[in-house]
Amino acid sequence: QKEVEQDPGPLSVPEGAIVSLNCTYSNSAFQYFMWYRQYSRKGPELLMYTYSSGNKEDGRFTAQVDKSSKYISLFIRDSQPSDSATYLCAMSPNDYKLSFGAGTTVTVRA
Amino acid sequence: SAVISQKPSRDICQRGTSLTIQCQVDSQVTMMFWYRQQPGQSLTLIATANQGSEATYESGFVIDKFPISRPNLTFSTLTVSNMSPEDSSIYLCSVNRGLVAFFGQGTRLTVV
């Protein structure tokens, strides 16, 4: 079993729709949770960063962490074609080593 | 954040040869990280490069195959040695700010 599981998609949605992405994990020591966005031929860029359980909102993006279920989510509201990318979840216990999901490829159709 | 410059951005290499990837950071950092990103798979940490000491390799990666240099606090190189088609992948340099990782744009390597 992989330490972090992420549905690779692909996910295709019309412009303006809500995009819902999620990851599950097995290591209960994870405390820090991140979402990265990766455009084609680019390196991953940090999108959201949360600590422990709860919600965090930043503009059109909302990250949720449910440690009891070992489940994290990212929601993108009012999706735009520019949101088309691969989204990676990542998590860490309390050190520099991150465990990544395989990434979900999202296409937002104009 | 961190500005990380990585080169080359892509290369096509013959099997049996070696490629050295360079990574330059805009500020001094203690640790630099090298990842591999294979299609459809998670980013996998290859090794951690500390200035002034040997790199620390993760399980499944060895120094003979992936030698790393770290001559100063802003620069590192990763060499992919004796390449085979299985080494075709994206290689990423990374640094941390706290517990958050920042990445270079990656090197897309194709071995033919």
Side-chain angles (χ1 to χ4, degrees):
Chain A
Q1 181 189 10
K2 293 181 182 178
E3 199 168 40
V4 181
E5 297 276 1
Q6 182 177 6
D7 187 340
L11 191 61
S12 180
V13 300
E15 184 175 357
I18 295 175
V19 176
S20 174
L21 305 167
N22 57 75
C23 292
T24 59
Y25 61 94
S26 57
N27 187 347
S28 58
F30 287 145
Q31 297 187 68
Y32 298 88
F33 303 91
M34 285 142 273
W35 286 94
Y36 287 84
R37 178 175 62 195
Q38 185 174 22
Y39 291 114
S40 180
R41 305 188 189 285
K42 300 287 187 183
E45 58 177 335
L46 180 68
L47 200 57
M48 297 284 284
Y49 168 74
T50 56
Y51 170 72
S52 195
S53 286
N55 294 357
K56 184 175 183 179
E57 188 172 316
D58 184 2
R60 296 184 295 111
F61 299 91
T62 300
Q64 292 183 349
V65 175
D66 182 349
K67 291 186 67 178
S68 63
S69 301
K70 296 189 178 68
Y71 186 90
I72 69 171
S73 300
L74 177 71
F75 299 96
I76 308 173
R77 292 183 300 279
D78 187 24
S79 58
Q80 305 294 312
S82 58
D83 295 325
S84 298
T86 297
Y87 291 82
L88 305 162
C89 64
M91 47 200 79
S92 167
N94 58 357
D95 59 23
Y96 61 88
K97 286 195 177 183
L98 296 180
S99 296
F100 285 86
T104 300
T105 299
V106 174
T107 300
V108 180
R109 308 185 305 271
Chain B
S1 65
V3 177
I4 304 170
S5 301
Q6 195 174 330
K7 58 181 180 181
S9 58
R10 60 188 337 186
D11 208 342
I12 300 173
C13 300
Q14 297 290 325
R15 65 179 68 198
T17 63
S18 298
L19 176 71
T20 296
I21 302 167
Q22 298 180 8
C23 180
Q24 179 76 48
V25 188
D26 66 337
S27 59
Q28 294 182 344
V29 292
T30 304
M31 293 188 289
M32 296 178 72
F33 306 93
W34 288 98
Y35 285 85
R36 183 173 70 183
Q37 186 177 29
Q38 294 181 308
Q41 297 188 27
S42 309
L43 265 74
T44 303
L45 182 63
I46 297 172
T48 302
N50 295 301
Q51 196 271 333
S53 64
E54 293 285 333
T56 303
Y57 289 82
E58 297 300 308
S59 175
F61 298 97
V62 295
I63 187 171
D64 290 346
K65 177 66 177 177
F66 297 101
I68 287 172
S69 78
R70 184 76 202 277
N72 58 54
L73 291 172
T74 62
F75 187 80
S76 178
T77 67
L78 170 76
T79 298
V80 186
S81 302
N82 188 24
M83 289 183 285
S84 66
E86 292 70 35
D87 294 319
S88 296
S89 186
I90 298 172
Y91 293 85
L92 292 155
C93 172
S94 173
V95 302
N96 275 25
R97 290 287 184 260
L99 294 174
V100 176
F102 294 88
F103 293 88
Q105 76 272 26
T107 296
R108 184 179 296 268
L109 171 62
T110 302
V111 183
V112 297

